[in-house]
Amino acid sequence: AQTVTQSQPEMSVQEAETVTLSCTYDTSESDYYLFWYKQPPSRQMILVIRQEAYKQQNATENRFSVNFQKAAKSFSLKISDSQLGDAAMYFCAYQNYGGATNKLIFGTGTLLAVQP
Amino acid sequence: DAGVIQSPRHEVTEMGQEVTLRCKPISGHDYLFWYRQTMMRGLELLIYFNNNVPIDDSGMPEDRFSAKMPNASFSTLKIQPSEPRDSAVYFCASSRAQGPPQFFGPGTRLTVL
């Protein structure tokens, strides 16, 4: 069974600085997707960024980028120029590619605080 | 285009009562998922549908939980009878057949007293 581990329960960053959130996963599959979701206090789950395992290039979305290390099964999220609105719980998630199992498997989350 | 719609946003009920949570997926999405979020267990999948047919209900905790999708634009998650340990945030999500991502609704916060 696939698992997702986020080893940092809480992180803090100064406004305008850069922070990296860690995520590792375990799977025997070769094709899969990885995601970072953001959950602000409103509790809405917001997709931040996605990565297809077959793509070697790391995904980037504006100030958000990932460092995808397939061999190490590592998928970290880097937030550049942190803003107060980035404060939220961040979840790393895994999904199999194709097949009958489409569920997302989530990590336990990292609570990010942004200090002004 | 409207996102995933869930109702109610908040539900407070007493133990033993029936609770029905509702979800309208994004138009054109073929997959619908029900997740539950608790402090103890985090986010976990309860059940998901493809083209209105339940595919995997292995996450449904027990027979008190049931889910239906009578048509492509509506799904319900019912708990009968409800218990205090059912208190959680319940999310509905949908996605296209072509693949991810899953888009989440705002969630329903359920409190069972």
Side-chain angles (χ1 to χ4, degrees):
Chain A
Q2 293 87 8
T3 59
V4 176
T5 301
Q6 293 179 252
S7 59
Q8 306 155 316
E10 298 182 10
M11 293 281 286
S12 182
V13 63
Q14 292 292 128
E15 199 174 4
E17 297 295 308
T18 296
V19 64
T20 299
L21 308 184
S22 300
C23 173
T24 58
Y25 59 95
D26 189 30
T27 183
S28 58
E29 303 292 332
S30 58
D31 291 326
Y32 47 87
Y33 301 96
L34 295 165
F35 306 90
W36 280 97
Y37 280 88
K38 169 185 178 181
Q39 187 177 39
S42 66
R43 78 166 179 258
Q44 176 77 50
M45 294 290 287
I46 302 166
L47 178 67
V48 175
I49 199 165
R50 63 183 277 184
Q51 175 80 43
E52 288 85 348
Y54 65 85
K55 290 185 177 179
Q56 293 187 341
Q57 186 172 5
N58 290 325
T60 298
E61 289 287 344
N62 300 314
R63 298 182 294 107
F64 298 87
S65 62
V66 299
N67 183 5
F68 172 49
Q69 302 289 327
K70 191 173 183 179
K73 295 180 182 176
S74 172
F75 183 62
S76 61
L77 175 69
K78 185 172 79 171
I79 306 174
S80 303
D81 186 25
S82 298
Q83 301 175 359
L84 295 178
D86 295 333
M89 182 73 87
Y90 286 81
F91 291 96
C92 179
Y94 167 99
Q95 182 176 353
N96 278 330
Y97 180 87
T101 303
N102 284 286
K103 67 179 180 182
L104 284 167
I105 299 169
F106 289 92
T108 51
T110 296
L111 182 61
L112 177 66
V114 181
Q115 307 299 329
Chain B
D1 187 20
V4 176
I5 298 172
Q6 289 187 249
S7 65
R9 293 294 307 276
H10 304 273
E11 177 80 29
V12 180
T13 190
E14 292 190 348
M15 183 174 63
Q17 296 298 305
E18 178 180 296
V19 175
T20 299
L21 311 182
R22 298 172 176 80
C23 175
K24 176 179 170 58
I26 294 172
S27 178
H29 282 193
D30 301 295
Y31 285 87
L32 183 139
F33 305 81
W34 283 99
Y35 291 89
R36 179 172 68 175
Q37 184 178 31
T38 62
M39 289 296 293
M40 291 297 295
R41 299 176 65 88
L43 279 153
E44 53 183 349
L45 178 73
L46 299 177
I47 185 171
Y48 79 90
F49 296 83
N50 179 23
N51 291 325
N52 313 336
V53 176
I55 302 300
D56 182 357
D57 65 354
S58 59
M60 296 285 263
E62 48 197 273
D63 293 344
R64 298 184 297 106
F65 285 69
S66 63
K68 294 182 180 180
M69 192 165 185
N71 57 63
S73 59
F74 184 66
S75 178
T76 60
L77 178 67
K78 185 176 294 186
I79 308 172
Q80 167 62 21
S82 58
E83 297 182 2
R85 59 191 168 126
D86 301 331
S87 297
V89 178
Y90 291 82
F91 287 101
C92 177
S94 69
S95 70
R96 295 183 184 277
Q98 291 85 348
Q102 295 179 20
F103 293 93
F104 283 73
T108 295
R109 178 176 293 281
L110 173 64
T111 302
V112 183
L113 303 174

